[in-house]
């Protein structure tokens, strides 16, 4: 006798699978978008990732950036040299500790990056317009929790 499972449990499982598949496809599409932005800006993919982290954590120490980016400090040195040479970031002395260096993104150059993402930003804004405030709270919570889960999974695979 072949029994088919039905009911709310089955629908929830189907929806959960659909969410995971959509997240995987979103990851692919965002990687493709980032590659195009990198190419148009004349940056390597890893340079753009670091530039994004610097912009979101302005100012940030090279050590903290290396940890956030999951890069060896020696690798990061070459990336920072390229970003500084291209006018994307500035290195300066930390006012709290003159021996330390902090990184800051160059606002004028970052406008170029924002312009390259304008199509995606506009599309996301248009999508958000179709949701109520309560629905957006649920979506924001889900994305925040998914990001935390990703960070946790990454940490579990990282060896020091």
């Amino acid at each position: 006798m072949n029994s088919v499972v039905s009911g709310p449990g089955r629908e929830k499982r189907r929806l959960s699978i659909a969410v995971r598949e959509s997240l995987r496809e979103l990851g692919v599409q965002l990687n493709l978008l980032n590659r195009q932005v990198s190419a148009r800006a004349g940056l390597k993919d890893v340079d753009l990732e670091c530039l994004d982290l610097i912009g979101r954590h302005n100012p940030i120490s090279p050590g903290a950036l290396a940890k956030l980016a999951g890069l060896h400090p020696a690798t990061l040195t070459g990336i920072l040299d390229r970003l500084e040479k291209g006018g994307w970031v500035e290195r300066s002395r930390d006012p709290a500790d003159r021996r330390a260096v902090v990184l800051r993104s160059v606002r004028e150059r970052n406008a170029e990056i924002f312009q390259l993402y304008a199509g995606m930003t506009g599309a996301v804004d248009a999508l958000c317009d179709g949701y109520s405030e309560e629905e957006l709270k649920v979506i924001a919570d889900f994305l925040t929790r998914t990001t935390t889960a990703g960070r946790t999974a990454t940490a579990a695979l990282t060896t020091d």
Side-chain angles (χ1 to χ4, degrees):
M1 179 176 217
N2 198 359
S3 173
V4 175
V5 178
S6 63
R10 182 175 184 202
E11 180 63 8
K12 185 172 182 177
R13 186 172 194 291
R14 185 189 69 72
L15 290 170
S16 179
I17 290 168
V19 166
R20 285 194 309 271
E21 288 298 315
S22 292
L23 287 171
R24 289 177 70 192
E25 183 60 25
L26 175 61
V28 169
Q29 292 307 313
L30 291 176
N31 281 332
L32 292 172
L33 174 62
N34 290 340
R35 250 186 250 139
Q36 290 301 314
V37 169
S38 294
R40 296 261 179 126
L43 297 170
K44 293 184 176 193
D45 295 350
V46 70
D47 296 1
L48 181 64
E49 291 170 13
C50 288
L51 183 59
D52 179 53
L53 288 169
I54 293 167
R56 289 191 289 133
H57 298 276
N58 252 344
I60 188 170
S61 72
L65 177 60
K67 188 170 186 167
L68 282 173
L71 297 170
H72 189 278
T75 302
L76 187 62
T77 300
I79 294 167
L80 293 177
D81 288 346
R82 287 191 301 271
L83 289 173
E84 187 175 40
K85 184 178 179 183
W88 296 101
V89 299
E90 296 173 339
R91 294 179 192 171
S92 59
R93 293 285 170 205
D94 185 341
D97 179 357
R98 299 293 298 159
R99 297 167 297 168
V101 172
V102 293
L103 307 165
R104 287 184 175 77
S105 58
V106 175
R107 178 173 290 191
E108 298 77 21
R109 290 302 312 263
N110 283 320
E112 297 172 41
I113 299 295
F114 291 139
Q115 184 59 39
L116 292 169
Y117 281 111
M120 182 64 175
T121 300
V124 170
D125 287 345
L127 285 170
C128 288
D129 286 345
Y131 292 97
S132 70
E133 284 185 30
E134 286 305 311
E135 290 170 323
L136 288 173
K137 286 178 185 177
V138 170
I139 293 167
D141 176 64
F142 173 79
L143 292 173
T144 299
R145 292 167 66 186
T146 301
T147 300
T148 300
R151 192 174 293 120
T152 300
T154 300
L157 295 174
T158 303
T159 58
D160 288 336

